[in-house]
Amino acid sequence: MKQYKMTEKNNNRAHFATRIGAVATAAGSAVGLGNIWRFPYETGTHGGGAFIFLYIMFIMLIGVPVLCAEFIMGRQARANEIDTFRKLAPGQKWYLAGYLGLAASIMILSFYSVVAGWTMEYFYMSVTGALSVNADRLHEMFGCFVSDFWRPLLWTLIFLGLNLLVIIRGVQKGIERISNILMPMMLILLIVFCINSLLLPNAAEGLSFMFKPDFSKTDSSTLLSAMGQAFFSLSIGLGCMMTYGSYFSPTTRLGRCAATTALLDTAIAILAGVIIFPAVFSYGISPQAGPTLVFETLPAIFINMKGGYLWASAFFALLFLASITSTISMSEITIAYLTEKKNMSRKKACCVVIGTACVLASLCSLSFGPLSSATVCGLTVFNLFDYVASNLLLPIGGLIIAIFAGWRLDRRIVEKQMSNDGLHSVKLLKPLRFCLRYIAPAGILLILLNSIGII
Ligand code: PHE
């Protein structure tokens, strides 16, 4: 496809060739297990409607502005995350935030790969027909699988190996291509499953759980988790979108790209909820099941559909692809840093990132079985990585990015990047700056302080 030809201007950095390429890759990073696996289970454990309401508020008031800020900073500096801060604020310590992002990205890559490994096992089971068991055996089956020593571990390592193959091939070829085919197919499949779920006997109960907010049960943990989910789902706060922004072409409309990404991402999360919750209430599964929720509910849905194993295979294949477009983006943050800052070859940098992730991901995988009693503050390695990265590191990173873009960065740079050098008028520039200067910093700070009990 001619429009995806590699263009190498600006310090020979590869960059995405078209606007569609930019949107597809940003959405490719954002859409993944966060929407299909994490969103439903977080919604389930935090009481449903109120969580979703808060999540959407966070996406609009904090998520989209921080996403724009990352794009602006990335495209302005055209460098890896750490150099981006260094170039935009020479001689100051802002770049330290970049290391926070690197740490978060490796932690997320580690636990995320475990869940991506589960999707591969489920794909395998769908294809071989092993998933067609009695619905009440699904819970037990999943439990046996994750607590096994080798099986989940092997899938995790295979997933990381495949990830390595794609990232070694570079930004353009690897990422843009997968993302462009993936998103439309994913949407179509999700809509079919939605219709199927809406026809289930207790669909109304599931929908009311999702869309009737009951704020009497919200507390500081609901707020923190909804904010964490917004950051996780949009892939913001760790410099991932900043790194992608540095590959954007000068003609990409940053505001539109951010809005389209957020819209697609939220739509897919809501669709996933509309698929899962009617089924949860119809098949008597507990919405509070946690990380295992989706892997117990989806097979129950598929088994009861005509041609179930075909649907299941298609779905898990797509989920696998959606996961890999996300893990590519997490890996890219550190790869860009190692190749540009430490002068490593791309191949070596990829091996270092994936090698580190293999060790940590193994610990995460084993934490469902042999290491389940190794806990810190009551959390297993898997849960600890998820909690610390998503609920703490990403919001802290987002806080720093918002303050940087709102207060430290020259407002002319913000204007220049948002308007592509004055080529377009940007209507929402003032609200964007207002969110970055006041709403995002105050909101994030209050919630973080509240969750550690200071206010
Ligand atoms: N946003 C991705 C998802 O929803 C996960 C992700 C988080 C990707 C952080 C990159 C960085 O699955």
mmCIF file of all heavy atoms in Angstrom, residues 29-35 108 112 232-235 238 240 326 329-330, ligand 1:
data_model
loop_
_atom_site.group_PDB
_atom_site.id
_atom_site.type_symbol
_atom_site.label_atom_id
_atom_site.label_comp_id
_atom_site.label_asym_id
_atom_site.label_seq_id
_atom_site.Cartn_x
_atom_site.Cartn_y
_atom_site.Cartn_z
ATOM 1 N N SER A 29 -2.688 1.032 20.016
ATOM 2 C CA SER A 29 -2.086 0.981 21.345
ATOM 3 C C SER A 29 -3.175 1.017 22.418
ATOM 4 O O SER A 29 -3.144 0.260 23.385
ATOM 5 C CB SER A 29 -1.149 2.169 21.541
ATOM 6 O OG SER A 29 -0.811 2.298 22.894
ATOM 7 N N ALA A 30 -4.145 1.906 22.213
ATOM 8 C CA ALA A 30 -5.160 2.097 23.256
ATOM 9 C C ALA A 30 -6.086 0.897 23.386
ATOM 10 O O ALA A 30 -6.419 0.464 24.489
ATOM 11 C CB ALA A 30 -5.962 3.357 22.953
ATOM 12 N N VAL A 31 -6.516 0.357 22.250
ATOM 13 C CA VAL A 31 -7.486 -0.740 22.304
ATOM 14 C C VAL A 31 -6.759 -2.053 22.530
ATOM 15 O O VAL A 31 -5.825 -2.373 21.810
ATOM 16 C CB VAL A 31 -8.295 -0.812 20.993
ATOM 17 C CG1 VAL A 31 -9.186 -2.039 20.983
ATOM 18 C CG2 VAL A 31 -9.113 0.453 20.820
ATOM 19 N N GLY A 32 -7.187 -2.755 23.542
ATOM 20 C CA GLY A 32 -6.517 -4.032 23.820
ATOM 21 C C GLY A 32 -7.194 -4.715 24.983
ATOM 22 O O GLY A 32 -8.408 -4.548 25.211
ATOM 23 N N LEU A 33 -6.403 -5.448 25.743
ATOM 24 C CA LEU A 33 -6.966 -6.169 26.877
ATOM 25 C C LEU A 33 -7.570 -5.212 27.903
ATOM 26 O O LEU A 33 -8.431 -5.581 28.675
ATOM 27 C CB LEU A 33 -5.868 -6.999 27.537
ATOM 28 C CG LEU A 33 -5.373 -8.165 26.672
ATOM 29 C CD1 LEU A 33 -4.086 -8.738 27.236
ATOM 30 C CD2 LEU A 33 -6.444 -9.237 26.585
ATOM 31 N N GLY A 34 -7.078 -3.978 27.901
ATOM 32 C CA GLY A 34 -7.614 -2.972 28.816
ATOM 33 C C GLY A 34 -9.108 -2.777 28.599
ATOM 34 O O GLY A 34 -9.858 -2.564 29.558
ATOM 35 N N ASN A 35 -9.546 -2.860 27.368
ATOM 36 C CA ASN A 35 -10.969 -2.655 27.072
ATOM 37 C C ASN A 35 -11.771 -3.926 27.296
ATOM 38 O O ASN A 35 -12.861 -3.895 27.848
ATOM 39 C CB ASN A 35 -11.163 -2.261 25.600
ATOM 40 C CG ASN A 35 -10.277 -1.128 25.194
ATOM 41 O OD1 ASN A 35 -9.063 -1.229 25.283
ATOM 42 N ND2 ASN A 35 -10.857 -0.038 24.769
ATOM 43 N N ILE A 108 3.863 -3.050 33.100
ATOM 44 C CA ILE A 108 2.611 -3.367 32.400
ATOM 45 C C ILE A 108 2.863 -4.467 31.374
ATOM 46 O O ILE A 108 2.104 -5.432 31.275
ATOM 47 C CB ILE A 108 2.012 -2.106 31.732
ATOM 48 C CG1 ILE A 108 1.613 -1.101 32.815
ATOM 49 C CG2 ILE A 108 0.789 -2.468 30.896
ATOM 50 C CD1 ILE A 108 1.081 0.207 32.306
ATOM 51 N N TYR A 112 0.661 -7.868 31.463
ATOM 52 C CA TYR A 112 -0.201 -7.874 30.270
ATOM 53 C C TYR A 112 0.081 -9.106 29.408
ATOM 54 O O TYR A 112 -0.828 -9.724 28.862
ATOM 55 C CB TYR A 112 0.122 -6.602 29.490
ATOM 56 C CG TYR A 112 -0.925 -6.113 28.522
ATOM 57 C CD1 TYR A 112 -1.885 -5.204 28.916
ATOM 58 C CD2 TYR A 112 -0.931 -6.533 27.206
ATOM 59 C CE1 TYR A 112 -2.816 -4.711 28.017
ATOM 60 C CE2 TYR A 112 -1.861 -6.048 26.301
ATOM 61 C CZ TYR A 112 -2.796 -5.136 26.717
ATOM 62 O OH TYR A 112 -3.716 -4.652 25.831
ATOM 63 N N PHE A 232 -4.903 3.681 31.904
ATOM 64 C CA PHE A 232 -4.452 2.412 31.325
ATOM 65 C C PHE A 232 -5.044 2.232 29.935
ATOM 66 O O PHE A 232 -4.361 1.891 28.972
ATOM 67 C CB PHE A 232 -4.903 1.258 32.244
ATOM 68 C CG PHE A 232 -4.389 -0.084 31.830
ATOM 69 C CD1 PHE A 232 -3.160 -0.530 32.281
ATOM 70 C CD2 PHE A 232 -5.123 -0.907 30.986
ATOM 71 C CE1 PHE A 232 -2.668 -1.775 31.903
ATOM 72 C CE2 PHE A 232 -4.640 -2.147 30.600
ATOM 73 C CZ PHE A 232 -3.409 -2.578 31.058
ATOM 74 N N SER A 233 -6.340 2.493 29.845
ATOM 75 C CA SER A 233 -7.027 2.214 28.592
ATOM 76 C C SER A 233 -6.564 3.129 27.456
ATOM 77 O O SER A 233 -6.487 2.715 26.307
ATOM 78 C CB SER A 233 -8.528 2.356 28.812
ATOM 79 O OG SER A 233 -9.211 1.777 27.753
ATOM 80 N N LEU A 234 -6.239 4.370 27.789
ATOM 81 C CA LEU A 234 -5.773 5.286 26.744
ATOM 82 C C LEU A 234 -4.262 5.187 26.527
ATOM 83 O O LEU A 234 -3.706 5.900 25.704
ATOM 84 C CB LEU A 234 -6.131 6.731 27.097
ATOM 85 C CG LEU A 234 -7.568 7.174 26.850
ATOM 86 C CD1 LEU A 234 -7.717 8.660 27.199
ATOM 87 C CD2 LEU A 234 -7.984 6.955 25.403
ATOM 88 N N SER A 235 -3.601 4.336 27.257
ATOM 89 C CA SER A 235 -2.126 4.198 27.203
ATOM 90 C C SER A 235 -1.424 5.516 27.492
ATOM 91 O O SER A 235 -0.457 5.866 26.826
ATOM 92 C CB SER A 235 -1.637 3.718 25.832
ATOM 93 O OG SER A 235 -2.387 2.711 25.294
ATOM 94 N N LEU A 238 2.632 7.300 30.631
ATOM 95 C CA LEU A 238 3.935 6.633 30.678
ATOM 96 C C LEU A 238 4.802 6.966 29.476
ATOM 97 O O LEU A 238 5.874 6.388 29.313
ATOM 98 C CB LEU A 238 3.748 5.110 30.828
ATOM 99 C CG LEU A 238 3.249 4.275 29.663
ATOM 100 C CD1 LEU A 238 3.366 2.800 30.007
ATOM 101 C CD2 LEU A 238 1.836 4.591 29.292
ATOM 102 N N CYS A 240 4.046 6.576 26.310
ATOM 103 C CA CYS A 240 3.837 5.714 25.163
ATOM 104 C C CYS A 240 3.300 6.533 23.983
ATOM 105 O O CYS A 240 3.828 6.494 22.861
ATOM 106 C CB CYS A 240 2.817 4.686 25.606
ATOM 107 S SG CYS A 240 2.399 3.510 24.422
ATOM 108 N N SER A 326 -0.885 -3.417 21.403
ATOM 109 C CA SER A 326 -0.652 -2.656 22.636
ATOM 110 C C SER A 326 0.727 -2.938 23.207
ATOM 111 O O SER A 326 1.419 -2.019 23.646
ATOM 112 C CB SER A 326 -1.716 -2.990 23.687
ATOM 113 O OG SER A 326 -2.981 -2.644 23.216
ATOM 114 N N SER A 329 3.458 -1.088 21.567
ATOM 115 C CA SER A 329 3.611 0.317 21.952
ATOM 116 C C SER A 329 4.301 0.448 23.306
ATOM 117 O O SER A 329 5.074 1.371 23.531
ATOM 118 C CB SER A 329 2.262 1.029 21.958
ATOM 119 O OG SER A 329 1.464 0.565 23.015
ATOM 120 N N MET A 330 4.028 -0.503 24.211
ATOM 121 C CA MET A 330 4.716 -0.437 25.516
ATOM 122 C C MET A 330 6.207 -0.677 25.326
ATOM 123 O O MET A 330 7.036 -0.035 25.960
ATOM 124 C CB MET A 330 4.232 -1.553 26.445
ATOM 125 C CG MET A 330 2.834 -1.447 26.874
ATOM 126 S SD MET A 330 2.379 -3.050 27.589
ATOM 127 C CE MET A 330 0.642 -3.046 27.229
HETATM 128 N N1 PHE B 1 -4.196 0.739 26.500
HETATM 129 C C1 PHE B 1 -3.842 -0.638 26.402
HETATM 130 C C2 PHE B 1 -5.103 -1.481 26.551
HETATM 131 O O1 PHE B 1 -6.137 -0.973 26.809
HETATM 132 C C3 PHE B 1 -2.820 -1.019 27.429
HETATM 133 C C4 PHE B 1 -1.609 -0.134 27.450
HETATM 134 C C5 PHE B 1 -1.274 0.530 28.614
HETATM 135 C C6 PHE B 1 -0.840 0.022 26.320
HETATM 136 C C7 PHE B 1 -0.180 1.355 28.653
HETATM 137 C C8 PHE B 1 0.291 0.857 26.352
HETATM 138 C C9 PHE B 1 0.616 1.510 27.513
HETATM 139 O O2 PHE B 1 -5.059 -2.642 26.431
#
